[in-house]
């Protein structure tokens, strides 16, 4: 390989610490304007590099979801990586790498680690959000002990190191050198697509698309999965052109909010529900339909490609149910035909997958919110499949949740079972029972009020057990803490949970990914064994628990809000 030399000189830049660089649920996420402050990005990157034990001569993977500020940040990080002594950087073409693809590349090329630039599902553009996180050599988000160390270093950072050099061309696949550091620009799709082909039954899915009796829409939301979905769904699997909607990545996501849920993926929801309002956010059970038949299968992914939403014809699959269905049908996919070692879910995720794990006689782990908590379990071979209520599903093929992977898993199941999505869910519920589930988000709440609500809930946890609310008696209530079974690390304060004797649950927690005010999440779940009651409207089925949650938190009185910002 011939490397083109970019001339450079090393520079030490004096700086002052910022006091707001504590990584949240998934890296540091802030408004673009915060990152644009002089030295802000550089300080955080230097803190990452300082926290790494010895990166001299090692390989770093670098890429992001293509949002505004991505191009600038990539160049800064390349120059700082050269100053830090990395031997090689693998960077996505035009600075693009979806989060799961970055994880795949780190693992495949045995890299030392990777830096991923994304604020995930948060809006982009100059007025939107930006983010940065470090992934370790297993391809997964750095565990808390590393993010805590990075944060500690941001608190007393006095200088950073960067090379002065012209920008590295990223619009060509030609390799470059920044001093001693090699820069290889890689096709962001290739390694990932090859891996997907090795996990799923592509011939069966190809046949499904060729049958002309099946149609699909995938909404890339003008975010990073556009090129991946075009290549995998349309080129490799033969789905008709037009299957991928909003497939061109834009720096501001076309002014959209790249969060694949029923509120923000409105183009897809409109297509899939086609006039009939029967998704969980609707109170009614209206069934009016217009003439055009919606596609059989719909899916969407988020800003950086790690989240997914699954829809059938006029039918929403909750992420918790999706995880349970994938677990129950895992053997249908060639990459999982030997079965699952175990499963894991975040605490607020519904317990639907627990029932499948019990039937399969495999381990089931409950972790705090945050994909980083699954890493140790996967590395130790305890679990194959993981999932979260926040539209995240994935497996040990990488160490990130993976949006397109989940979509391909569903396509594999549909190709083998030859049934509509809704029938698969009905059969699943008939066998395992249904965990009705909803999440109510109150976004951009005044941070002081939100903290007060949580503090008051925290104080009440010790006194709730044994109390009765309507027909339900509280079996336990606590502030969830987790001891990692592999390394023994303890994470406390992970959300207030109230469990009832009949298996219903209410969970309260503050989001760790928002950038404006606070987002209070209320998660509500109830189990129903009787198939005659499985087709009820979700909000109706959970109405009494939602009432209890509102009463216990006093959220409406304290915030003046009359309803949640988003219901899923
Ligand atoms: C991140 C984390 C997920 C978490 C989600 C929501 O996802 O990786 O593990 O479930 O945030 O977190 P919170 O409820 O704290 O907002 P993403 O897709 O934003 O990277």
């Amino acid at each position: 390989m011939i490397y083109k030399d970019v001339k450079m000189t090393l520079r030490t830049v004096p700086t002052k610490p910022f006091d707001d660089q504590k990584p949240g649920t998934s890296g540091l996420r802030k408004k673009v304007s915060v990152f644009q402050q002089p030295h802000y990005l550089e300080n955080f990157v230097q803190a990452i590099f300082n926290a790494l034990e010895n990166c001299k001569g090692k390989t770093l993977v670098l890429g992001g979801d293509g949002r505004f500020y991505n191009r600038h940040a990539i160049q800064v990080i390349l120059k700082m990586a050269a100053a830090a002594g990395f031997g090689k950087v693998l960077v996505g073409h035009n600075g693009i790498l979806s989060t799961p693809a970055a994880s795949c590349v780190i693992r495949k090329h045995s890299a030392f680690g990777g830096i991923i630039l994304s604020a995930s599902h948060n809006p982009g553009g100059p007025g939107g959000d930006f983010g940065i996180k470090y992934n370790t050599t297993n391809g997964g988000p750095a565990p808390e002990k590393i993010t805590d160390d990075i944060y500690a270093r941001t608190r007393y950072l006095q200088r950073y190191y960067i090379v002065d050099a012209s920008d590295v061309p990223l619009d060509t696949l030609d390799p470059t050198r920044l001093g001693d550091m090699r820069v290889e620009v890689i096709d962001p799709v290739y390694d990932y697509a090859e891996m997907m082909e090795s996990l799923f039954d592509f011939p069966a899915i190809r046949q499904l698309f060729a049958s002309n009796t099946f149609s699909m829409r995938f909404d890339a939301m003008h975010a990073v999965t556009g090129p991946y979905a075009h290549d995998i769904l349309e080129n490799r699997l033969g789905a008709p052109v037009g299957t991928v909607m909003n497939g061109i990545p834009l720096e501001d996501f076309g002014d959209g909010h790249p969060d694949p849920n029923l509120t923000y993926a409105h183009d897809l929801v409109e297509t899939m529900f086609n006039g009939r309002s029967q998704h969980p956010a609707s109170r009614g059970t209206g069934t009016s339909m217009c003439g055009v038949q919606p596609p059989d299968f719909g899916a969407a992914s988020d800003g950086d490609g790690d989240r997914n939403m699954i829809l059938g014809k006029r039918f929403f699959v909750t992420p918790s149910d999706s995880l349970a269905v994938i677990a129950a049908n895992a053997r249908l996919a060639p990459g999982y035909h030997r079965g699952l070692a175990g499963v894991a879910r975040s605490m607020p995720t519904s317990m639907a997958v627990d029932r499948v794990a019990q039937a399969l006689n495999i381990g089931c782990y409950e972790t705090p919110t945050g994909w980083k908590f699954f890493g140790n379990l996967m590395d130790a071979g305890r679990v194959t499949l993981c999932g979260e209520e926040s539209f995240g599903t994935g497996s040990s093929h990488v160490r990130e949740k993976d949006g397109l992977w989940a979509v391909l898993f569903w396509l594999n199941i549909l190709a083998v079972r030859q049934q509509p999505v809704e029938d698969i869910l009905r059969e699943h519920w008939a066998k395992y029972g249904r965990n009705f589930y909803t999440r109510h988000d109150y976004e951009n709440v005044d941070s002081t009020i939100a903290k007060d609500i949580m503090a008051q809930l925290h104080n009440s946890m010790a006194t709730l057990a044994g109390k009765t609310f309507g027909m339900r008696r509280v079996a336990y209530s606590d502030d969830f803490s987790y001891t990692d079974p592999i390394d023994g690390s303890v994470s406390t304060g992970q959300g207030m949970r109230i469990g009832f004797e009949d298996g219903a649950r209410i969970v309260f927690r503050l989001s760790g990914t928002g950038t404006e005010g606070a987002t209070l999440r209320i998660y509500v779940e109830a189990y129903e064994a009787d198939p005659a009651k499985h087709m009820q409207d979700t909000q109706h089925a959970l109405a009494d628990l939602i009432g209890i949650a509102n009463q216990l938190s006093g959220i409406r009185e304290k915030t003046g809000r009359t309803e949640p910002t988003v219901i899923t």
Side-chain angles (χ1 to χ4, degrees):
M1 213 179 255
I2 299 167
Y3 291 88
K4 210 175 122 201
D5 273 319
V6 174
K7 296 213 178 322
M8 56 163 238
T9 49
L10 182 64
R11 190 157 56 96
T12 304
V13 182
T15 185
K16 291 208 169 70
F18 292 88
D19 61 5
D20 64 345
Q21 295 197 317
K22 187 172 172 50
T25 309
S26 183
L28 183 69
R29 290 187 192 164
K30 299 280 174 195
K31 291 272 161 224
V32 166
S33 54
V34 173
F35 272 101
Q36 284 172 324
Q37 297 172 85
H39 310 317
Y40 193 89
L41 171 71
E42 290 85 346
N43 273 24
F44 192 72
V45 173
Q46 190 63 56
I48 293 175
F49 290 163
N50 290 351
L52 305 180
E53 260 167 28
N54 183 8
C55 57
K56 296 263 183 279
K58 304 274 173 59
T59 299
L60 181 75
V61 171
L62 178 61
D65 64 12
R67 66 178 59 225
F68 181 79
Y69 214 56
N70 196 66
R71 282 182 292 166
H72 171 77
I74 293 266
Q75 295 293 343
V76 168
I77 296 166
L78 282 172
K79 291 168 192 173
M80 291 186 67
F86 275 96
K88 182 162 81 173
V89 175
L90 299 174
V91 56
H93 189 226
N94 288 320
I96 299 286
L97 270 178
S98 78
T99 293
S103 183
C104 165
V105 172
I106 294 170
R107 293 168 68 78
K108 181 168 174 184
H109 297 270
S110 306
F112 186 63
I115 291 184
I116 302 178
L117 303 170
S118 170
S120 186
H121 54 290
N122 294 4
D129 292 350
F130 189 72
I132 173 168
K133 70 170 178 173
Y134 181 71
N135 279 29
T136 53
T137 196
N138 72 349
E144 267 186 347
K145 64 175 187 307
I146 296 182
T147 54
D148 287 349
D149 186 23
I150 293 170
Y151 175 54
R153 289 169 189 272
T154 66
R155 305 298 299 272
Y156 56 82
L157 200 90
Q158 296 298 330
R159 63 191 65 84
Y160 64 84
Y161 307 96
I162 190 162
V163 299
D164 280 329
S166 51
D167 282 357
V168 176
L170 298 178
D171 53 353
T172 127
L173 295 179
D174 294 338
T176 316
R177 242 178 217 291
L178 266 178
D180 291 336
M181 188 183 84
R182 289 169 287 154
V183 180
E184 285 177 20
V185 183
I186 57 170
D187 175 344
V189 178
Y190 183 79
D191 287 334
Y192 178 81
E194 291 279 295
M195 175 178 256
M196 293 303 113
E197 203 149 353
S198 74
L199 293 175
F200 299 111
D201 191 344
F202 270 38
I205 302 173
R206 232 175 261 132
Q207 235 174 357
L208 180 70
F209 280 122
S211 68
N212 288 332
T213 57
F214 175 82
S215 60
M216 169 187 182
R217 288 289 178 282
F218 176 82
D219 191 349
M221 305 188 83
H222 286 304
V224 77
T225 46
Y228 295 84
H230 279 303
D231 183 48
I232 295 172
L233 298 177
E234 294 179 353
N235 298 344
R236 295 180 186 236
L237 289 168
V241 172
T243 298
V244 179
M245 308 159 62
N246 302 320
I248 300 174
L250 298 172
E251 286 198 328
D252 65 351
F253 308 116
D255 217 12
H257 191 147
D259 196 357
N261 61 34
L262 292 163
T263 305
Y264 296 125
H266 32 73
D267 290 357
L268 179 72
V269 170
E270 181 64 25
T271 305
M272 297 304 297
F273 283 87
N274 204 7
R276 177 176 158 180
S277 59
Q278 207 191 2
H279 60 64
S282 81
R283 276 158 211 288
T285 51
T287 54
S288 70
M289 286 172 56
C290 15
V292 190
Q293 274 295 318
D296 302 285
F297 181 55
S301 191
D302 69 329
D304 62 330
D306 59 1
R307 295 183 174 210
N308 74 91
M309 175 168 71
I310 300 296
L311 300 173
K313 195 179 277 196
R314 302 186 195 95
F315 193 85
F316 169 66
V317 183
T318 67
S320 298
D321 277 345
S322 175
L323 175 66
V325 169
I326 290 176
N329 292 275
R331 282 176 187 270
L332 301 183
Y336 303 86
H337 75 273
R338 291 213 191 106
L340 307 171
V343 293
R345 62 165 172 81
S346 66
M347 181 273 282
T349 303
S350 101
M351 296 188 285
V353 75
D354 302 31
R355 295 175 187 280
V356 178
Q358 200 180 7
L360 294 174
N361 199 21
I362 56 174
C364 180
Y365 296 83
E366 183 178 47
T367 63
T369 294
W371 204 262
K372 60 191 170 206
F373 292 103
F374 295 136
N376 279 349
L377 294 169
M378 288 195 270
D379 287 350
R382 298 257 189 120
V383 303
T384 312
L385 191 69
C386 308
E388 296 187 281
E389 50 65 39
S390 54
F391 295 86
T393 335
S395 84
S396 51
H397 67 291
V398 290
R399 291 294 183 276
E400 288 279 3
K401 56 190 189 275
D402 191 343
L404 262 171
W405 169 91
V407 175
L408 290 166
F409 218 132
W410 267 94
L411 278 169
N412 196 140
I413 293 169
L414 294 171
V416 175
R417 291 189 50 171
Q418 300 279 326
Q419 285 175 292
V421 172
E422 180 169 346
D423 290 5
I424 290 176
L425 261 297
R426 277 179 194 255
E427 283 184 16
H428 185 91
W429 294 333
K431 182 167 177 188
Y432 298 98
R434 178 170 182 186
N435 288 71
F436 280 99
Y437 185 83
T438 191
R439 186 178 100 185
H440 287 200
D441 291 341
Y442 292 82
E443 293 177 352
N444 203 1
V445 172
D446 180 276
S447 298
T448 314
I449 296 177
K451 277 188 197 140
D452 279 357
I453 292 174
M454 293 304 282
Q456 171 249 310
L457 280 166
H458 180 88
N459 292 339
S460 66
M461 285 299 112
T463 61
L464 287 178
K467 284 197 178 155
T468 301
F469 294 86
M471 304 287 286
R472 301 183 198 262
R473 215 167 112 94
V474 177
Y476 65 89
S477 58
D478 62 8
D479 192 345
F480 180 60
S481 61
Y482 175 68
T483 304
D484 186 298
I486 311 301
D487 65 14
S489 57
V490 177
S491 303
T492 55
Q494 298 295 325
M496 252 56 81
R497 48 179 198 170
I498 300 164
F500 295 87
E501 282 175 352
D502 60 2
R505 290 197 308 164
I506 299 172
V507 175
F508 300 91
R509 63 177 279 283
L510 290 180
S511 158
T513 57
T515 58
E516 258 173 284
T519 295
L520 186 86
R521 305 202 196 284
I522 304 179
Y523 312 79
V524 182
E525 168 178 13
Y527 179 68
E528 178 56 71
D530 180 0
K533 296 183 183 156
H534 284 168
M535 291 314 285
Q536 288 177 77
D537 172 75
T538 299
Q539 300 304 310
H540 177 75
L542 297 174
D544 72 307
L545 285 161
I546 294 167
I548 297 169
N550 291 343
Q551 179 196 333
L552 284 172
S553 61
I555 182 139
R556 299 195 173 187
E557 301 74 34
K558 287 176 185 150
T559 62
R561 307 278 179 93
T562 52
E563 53 183 27
T565 323
V566 176
I567 296 178
T568 42

